[in-house]
Amino acid sequence: MIELVERHTVLAVVVGSRAYGLHGLASDYDRRGVYVAPTRAFWNLDKPPTHLDGPAVEQLSWEFERFCVLALQGNPTVLEVLWSPLVERITVDGEWLLAARQAFLSKRVAETYGNYARDQLNRVAARRERTGETNHKQAMHMIRLLIAGAHVLRTGEVLVEVRHLRDQLLAVRRGELPWDEVATWAADLLVELADATARTALPDQPDRVGVDRLLTAVRERNL
């Protein structure tokens, strides 16, 4: 099945610390991609896989339809693929996907970004209570998600590269910022997220009709 990734990838990007601008010399290359299974493969009882790992280390790819479903749900990890500044491969179908990326955005991102960040905040706090230890990497990503959530609600663009906040975020990751200050920063960002939610110009729901048209066009191209 891995040939679906090798032969039918339409969009391949780098995500994670290198896309965020928070990487070091030893940082991994986290790769994400979208492949389009040949349309005829869906005519069989055994359908193409919805996602595949590999072939490279830290590489995950989604089949086009599954990717669209997750993006319509406002999944932050998936949406970042569409705004990554580090594109390694793109085809015509990938260009169509990027051209339609605004269709996936809606007020739903307030909930998804907020919930992801709150979950990480709760996990960090619970670990501190249980062991006295702080997962500084998790705390950094919680802060980054809150910043990104407010940004997409205000601008209609997904914030991936946060190089302008590199020093502050890496200070959190290295444990140089006291936990009380991190928690206060998170509380302030939650207020900003709520304010951005109240003021956003994003629609209540994503453009499912537009995404359906895109999916149909891609399936027809790949008959």
Side-chain angles (χ1 to χ4, degrees):
M1 287 294 181
I2 204 64
E3 66 270 12
L4 287 172
V5 174
E6 295 172 333
R7 297 175 54 191
H8 298 284
T9 289
V10 299
L11 178 65
V13 304
V14 174
V15 295
S17 62
R18 292 187 179 275
Y20 303 147
L22 302 176
H23 58 288
L25 293 176
S27 295
D28 293 331
Y29 280 87
D30 296 312
R31 290 181 165 89
R32 299 292 179 267
V34 182
Y35 60 90
V36 175
T39 302
R40 291 178 182 273
F42 291 92
W43 299 351
N44 302 323
L45 290 174
D46 295 325
K47 307 302 180 188
T50 59
H51 63 279
L52 288 166
D53 290 309
V57 177
E58 302 296 335
Q59 181 178 0
L60 171 68
S61 300
W62 295 274
E63 206 284 320
F64 197 92
E65 182 175 345
R66 178 58 177 165
F67 181 88
C68 289
V69 169
L70 293 173
L72 284 168
Q73 293 170 355
N75 184 305
T77 301
V78 171
L79 290 177
E80 285 180 2
V81 172
L82 296 175
W83 271 266
S84 172
L86 304 178
V87 177
E88 294 190 319
R89 179 180 177 185
I90 189 167
T91 68
V92 171
D93 291 332
E95 289 173 352
W96 286 359
L97 179 60
L98 291 188
R101 64 187 183 180
Q102 297 291 338
F104 296 101
L105 299 182
S106 70
K107 292 179 181 177
R108 189 174 297 176
V109 299
E111 181 180 352
T112 55
Y113 276 79
N115 286 348
Y116 271 55
R118 290 186 192 94
D119 179 64
Q120 297 210 20
L121 176 60
N122 291 338
R123 288 171 181 264
V124 173
R127 180 174 177 178
R128 282 177 55 81
E129 291 181 7
R130 187 174 65 255
T131 68
E133 299 175 348
T134 303
N135 186 327
H136 299 294
K137 182 178 180 180
Q138 198 167 32
M140 181 197 73
H141 284 300
M142 174 265 296
I143 293 291
R144 184 189 60 79
L145 277 169
L146 288 171
I147 292 170
H151 185 273
V152 67
L153 287 162
R154 287 174 177 150
T155 68
E157 299 287 337
V158 174
L159 179 66
V160 177
E161 185 178 311
V162 288
R163 196 180 303 272
H164 61 292
L165 295 170
R166 178 182 171 89
D167 291 344
Q168 299 97 307
L169 289 171
L170 290 184
V172 174
R173 180 170 181 169
R174 291 191 293 258
E176 297 170 357
L177 198 66
W179 173 248
D180 288 347
E181 293 185 32
V182 176
T184 298
W185 190 4
D188 291 342
L189 290 172
L190 283 167
V191 172
E192 290 186 25
L193 183 67
D195 179 72
T197 302
R199 299 171 181 269
T200 187
L202 290 179
D204 291 336
Q205 300 294 329
D207 182 7
R208 288 184 61 89
V209 173
V211 174
D212 241 348
R213 286 198 297 266
L214 169 65
L215 178 59
T216 299
V218 168
R219 291 288 186 240
E220 288 176 345
R221 251 184 59 83
N222 289 272
L223 272 171

